[in-house]
Amino acid sequence: METGILDYFILPEDVEEIIKGDKNPIIPESRQQLLNLAIGYGKNDTFEVAYDVPGYGRIVEATVTKCKNGYAVNYPEPYMRRREPNCMVIADDKETDKIRYKDRFGVDFEPLRHKTFQWLREQDLIIMPFMAGDENLGYPALVVAPKNAAFFVLALADIQGFIPKEKLKGEFKPIAIIFVAPPFRHTHFDGKQVVVHNRRDDLQELFSYNLYPGPSAKKGVYSVLLDIGEREGWITAHASTVRVITPYDNIMTIMHEGASGGGKSEMTEQLPRELDGRILFGTNIITNEKYHMELKENSELQPVTDDMALCHPSYQNDSKKLVVKDAEKGWFIRLDHITEYGSNPDLERLCIHPKEPLVFLNIVGVPNSTCLIWDHIEDSPGKPCTNPRVIMPRGFIKNTVNDAVEIDIRSFGVRTPPCTRENPSYGIMGILHVLPPSIAWLWRLVAPRGYANPSIIDTEGISSEGVGSYWPFATGKMVKHANLILDQIVETPATKYVLIPNQHIGAYKVGFMPQWIAREYLSRRGGAKFRPDQLSHSRCSLLGYSLESLKIDGEFMPKHFLQVNLQPEVGDEAFDKGAKILTDFFKKELKKYLTTDLSQLGRQIIECCLDDGKLEDYIEIL
């Protein structure tokens, strides 16, 4: 082992023993070194990440293909191509609402922890230090992984950044360590994705027993930040943020929240156009009628966050608006909506001609060819994977904002199914609904995963992602997070709230067009308040206010896109049935928050929903 390598770190004794087991552990010195390691420093352009697993033989967990514009990572098992929503288990005895390891598997975690450390001692290792979240906040972390899983470490480095070996000063004491040990997925977890969180008094251990970076490299770090925030009294919002500069030089900053698949990455993307310059807003699924609209000029977009927005107390000011900053150095961008050349020219340009090689997941990779982001690997013949991704270092993207920003509008995105007379559903939302703060809080408690969620494995019907839409990644108490979010809303009254659907508006298939049009419309309005004649109470109180009109660049949107019951394919009866589906779902999900730990204000708002409160009742409360 390299002389003095342990002098770089202050580590628990059992972690030091892991590192001592490797004669030459690697602390990355550059991104290029990680790129070389990702294909095993070999002469071949395809590298198999494989392990000899007792009782199973050699198992290939992933393949890495070197392409002209990056590295295409693919998983032989379709199951491994997206996040397992139930992958988290808690090994410690601290407060939690999550399932504990012993309750799920019937045994203590400590014997497996010991086996994991023993296995890691036998591997060639990469040990990579990084800062979780904003490096100025000082949350040092470490990943310990087998060298042949270098693509996983590279993915984490691109998402969170890393500290090169030459910049370590010998006093690096991590508050979190990610241990990567893929073989145990087969020997102990029946092939399932499992991430074990073990919160010790001065260190959070995360054991990643799979190589899909979603639940561990990305969301594992998110868990660490949420755990810190729960103790200190702040949250990291599950949100993208974009500063919008209109053709009229209005400036507005929008933070878009929602469950996975809710349109966070898409909110920072430019609005796509047809070849003739028109915008295809939607297509009627019954009549096949297409609705096109004109927009003379797109606004300029300055992305701030893609998925994780730090709401740290040190950022807040006297504006009465929420202030956020990016928690990441790179963005895990979903590409399922990029289905052909020209779908998103800006993103295509970034991916085809990057400054440096990128990491692609679930994209077809042919050695020494260009990896094309619309060429998604197939889960089965003729069925493309719904979760293709690229990791884009934010420094590669033009006009990104590195500083903390004040939020003018918090939007919440929901994937909605089609709604028709024949098949009523909760797809009853218009292009844009204005919410009072109390109802905005309820949406953040329920956080519907919604229709055909591409990011996770469980996509049946309507289900909840949980409090903040980040609950799958949190380790602590659900009601504590509910209180923190409500406190945040109360303390930032100058930030306003809207609700935006994607995929369908009634009988129209619309993709993410509603949020792109809503973004252009709201930013063009600037800080102007809605006049009373521009809003009406929705037929469903959980939708707050519906717009009476929406005019953008001199063109009025048809009213049936604002109030879905006006669509002849829907009508009042189907709308009301959809409203009942949505309301019943809210009531079912909200009851779990009625504990003694819930704030009195929170209890009032939830009880208002359970009592079928009207919009006026919600406004009176908050």
Side-chain angles (χ1 to χ4, degrees):
M1 186 177 74
E2 179 184 332
T3 303
I5 194 168
L6 288 173
D7 294 337
Y8 289 107
F9 306 104
I10 301 173
L11 299 171
E13 185 177 344
D14 48 7
V15 179
E16 286 190 356
E17 290 300 316
I18 293 174
I19 297 172
K20 288 177 181 177
D22 184 1
K23 294 181 179 179
N24 191 26
I26 295 171
I27 301 175
E29 298 181 16
S30 67
R31 185 173 186 268
Q32 185 58 53
Q33 183 184 17
L34 286 171
L35 290 167
N36 294 337
L37 287 166
I39 53 167
Y41 272 107
K43 296 180 180 179
N44 296 326
D45 294 318
T46 299
F47 178 70
E48 290 187 338
V49 183
Y51 300 93
D52 291 321
V53 182
Y56 293 84
R58 185 176 185 269
I59 293 180
V60 177
E61 291 285 351
T63 61
V64 184
T65 303
K66 184 179 181 181
C67 301
K68 289 183 178 179
N69 53 334
Y71 294 76
V73 177
N74 282 293
Y75 303 88
E77 296 175 65
Y79 165 77
M80 287 301 300
R81 297 170 187 167
R82 50 192 64 77
R83 174 170 59 86
E84 164 64 64
N86 299 313
C87 64
M88 175 187 283
V89 289
I90 306 299
D92 57 73
D93 58 2
K94 297 182 184 298
E95 279 194 335
T96 186
D97 286 326
K98 293 297 179 67
I99 189 167
R100 297 188 189 272
Y101 186 93
K102 187 171 184 178
D103 294 333
R104 179 168 171 181
F105 299 110
V107 294
D108 288 329
F109 175 64
E110 189 57 33
L112 179 57
R113 179 177 179 272
H114 177 75
K115 287 182 181 179
T116 304
F117 284 3
Q118 185 176 26
W119 182 82
L120 285 168
R121 277 196 294 270
E122 298 167 358
Q123 309 303 310
D124 294 331
L125 295 175
I126 300 176
I127 302 155
M128 188 186 77
F130 64 97
M131 299 300 288
D134 181 1
E135 60 187 21
N136 296 319
L137 296 178
Y139 301 128
L142 197 69
V143 61
V144 178
K147 187 170 73 172
N148 71 339
F151 85 85
F152 182 96
V153 180
L154 172 62
L156 177 57
D158 280 354
I159 293 171
Q160 280 294 324
F162 74 101
I163 302 173
K165 181 179 177 180
E166 64 178 16
K167 292 188 177 180
L168 287 173
K169 297 178 181 179
E171 297 179 350
F172 192 87
K173 183 179 181 180
I175 63 164
I177 303 178
I178 301 173
F179 301 99
V180 182
F184 295 93
R185 176 168 77 92
H186 305 282
T187 58
H188 287 69
F189 304 122
D190 195 29
K192 300 298 182 185
Q193 298 177 32
V194 172
V195 179
V196 181
H197 292 249
N198 189 33
R199 298 167 297 172
R200 301 166 70 175
D201 290 339
D202 57 352
L203 175 69
Q204 184 162 341
E205 298 177 340
L206 292 85
F207 294 82
S208 176
Y209 292 116
N210 70 88
L211 289 180
Y212 177 61
S216 45
K218 179 173 173 60
K219 302 305 187 185
V221 174
Y222 198 175
S223 298
V224 171
L225 294 173
L226 290 170
D227 186 65
I228 295 168
E230 185 175 347
R231 296 195 306 268
E232 297 182 354
W234 54 277
I235 69 165
T236 300
H238 195 202
S240 66
T241 309
V242 62
R243 179 187 288 162
V244 186
I245 303 176
T246 73
Y248 321 122
D249 288 332
N250 286 344
I251 299 177
M252 175 166 284
T253 304
I254 300 174
M255 185 170 89
H256 187 70
E257 300 162 85
S260 298
K264 291 183 290 298
S265 291
E266 289 77 10
M267 184 56 93
T268 65
E269 295 177 6
Q270 273 294 356
L271 184 153
R273 295 174 181 266
E274 303 280 84
L275 291 176
D276 60 5
R278 293 184 303 165
I279 295 164
L280 175 59
F281 180 79
T283 303
N284 191 299
I285 63 171
I286 295 175
T287 67
N288 208 37
E289 169 209 357
K290 297 181 185 298
Y291 177 74
H292 289 87
M293 59 184 296
E294 304 278 352
L295 189 67
K296 294 175 184 176
E297 189 177 349
N298 289 3
S299 295
E300 178 187 337
L301 304 180
Q302 297 182 346
V304 184
T305 77
D306 175 69
D307 186 67
M308 293 159 53
L310 287 164
C311 309
H312 196 269
S314 64
Y315 304 152
Q316 308 313 310
N317 56 32
D318 297 330
S319 66
K320 301 295 185 183
K321 294 180 180 180
L322 179 64
V323 183
V324 307
K325 189 176 181 182
D326 199 5
E328 301 178 290
K329 292 290 191 297
W331 297 344
F332 198 48
I333 300 174
R334 192 178 58 249
L335 304 169
D336 64 308
H337 62 297
I338 309 295
T339 56
E340 60 184 359
Y341 172 74
S343 296
N344 186 322
D346 291 332
L347 185 56
E348 291 163 27
R349 190 179 304 111
L350 279 172
C351 292
I352 292 173
H353 304 291
K355 294 180 180 179
E356 296 178 25
L358 300 172
V359 178
F360 301 92
L361 294 98
N362 304 326
I363 298 287
V364 172
V366 177
N368 296 311
S369 68
T370 300
C371 200
L372 302 173
I373 61 175
W374 55 84
D375 194 5
H376 308 159
I377 197 167
E378 293 187 340
D379 283 345
S380 58
K383 185 180 178 183
C385 175
T386 59
N387 193 40
R389 298 273 184 167
V390 63
I391 300 174
M392 184 66 66
R394 70 194 313 277
F396 292 11
I397 304 170
K398 289 182 180 179
N399 298 324
T400 51
V401 179
N402 297 319
D403 299 326
V405 297
E406 296 175 0
I407 303 301
D408 298 299
I409 293 177
R410 291 176 71 168
S411 58
F412 196 90
V414 185
R415 296 183 74 91
T416 47
C419 177
T420 62
R421 293 179 187 274
E422 294 75 22
N423 294 292
S425 76
Y426 59 95
I428 57 173
M429 300 167 206
I431 185 174
L432 174 68
H433 290 271
V434 178
L435 301 181
S438 52
I439 296 178
W441 179 64
L442 293 182
W443 278 96
R444 283 157 180 79
L445 299 193
V446 172
R449 271 187 193 134
Y451 173 77
N453 190 317
S455 302
I456 60 172
I457 292 158
D458 176 21
T459 59
E460 292 298 319
I462 183 171
S463 60
S464 173
E465 193 110 301
V467 61
S469 79
Y470 57 63
W471 180 240
F473 328 125
T475 56
K477 300 290 286 185
M478 180 174 61
V479 172
K480 283 188 178 180
H481 285 275
N483 288 336
L484 286 173
I485 295 171
L486 184 55
D487 290 345
Q488 183 188 75
I489 288 173
V490 171
E491 292 165 3
T492 54
T495 296
K496 306 305 179 186
Y497 301 87
V498 298
L499 180 70
I500 305 175
N502 66 68
Q503 305 313 309
H504 296 88
I505 293 179
Y508 285 82
K509 181 174 176 58
V510 293
F512 292 99
M513 197 58 72
Q515 69 187 52
W516 290 323
I517 295 299
R519 181 186 67 198
E520 295 289 340
Y521 170 69
L522 291 168
S523 58
R524 279 163 164 79
R525 284 179 53 84
K529 292 184 178 180
F530 286 96
R531 301 190 309 271
D533 63 305
Q534 292 178 307
L535 298 174
S536 62
H537 290 201
S538 172
R539 293 178 67 91
C540 174
S541 61
L542 290 173
L543 302 185
Y545 294 98
S546 299
L547 298 189
E548 281 294 307
S549 65
L550 190 158
K551 183 181 181 182
I552 184 168
D553 270 10
E555 182 177 347
F556 282 96
M557 291 288 292
K559 196 170 182 178
H560 62 245
F561 287 132
L562 311 179
Q563 300 175 23
V564 171
N565 58 300
L566 299 180
Q567 294 181 18
E569 298 85 0
V570 182
D572 291 348
E573 184 179 354
F575 183 100
D576 292 341
K577 288 181 180 178
K580 186 176 188 308
I581 292 171
L582 188 65
T583 302
D584 288 349
F585 172 69
F586 264 65
K587 290 179 178 180
K588 176 175 72 74
E589 293 298 326
L590 290 173
K591 287 177 181 176
K592 67 183 73 168
Y593 291 95
L594 294 175
T595 72
T596 55
D597 292 329
L598 184 66
S599 72
Q600 184 58 37
L601 178 59
R603 181 173 295 274
Q604 281 183 269
I605 298 171
I606 290 177
E607 288 177 348
C608 183
C609 178
L610 298 179
D611 294 338
D612 296 312
K614 304 299 183 186
L615 184 55
E616 299 91 337
D617 300 323
Y618 287 106
I619 295 171
E620 186 177 341
I621 295 172
L622 182 60

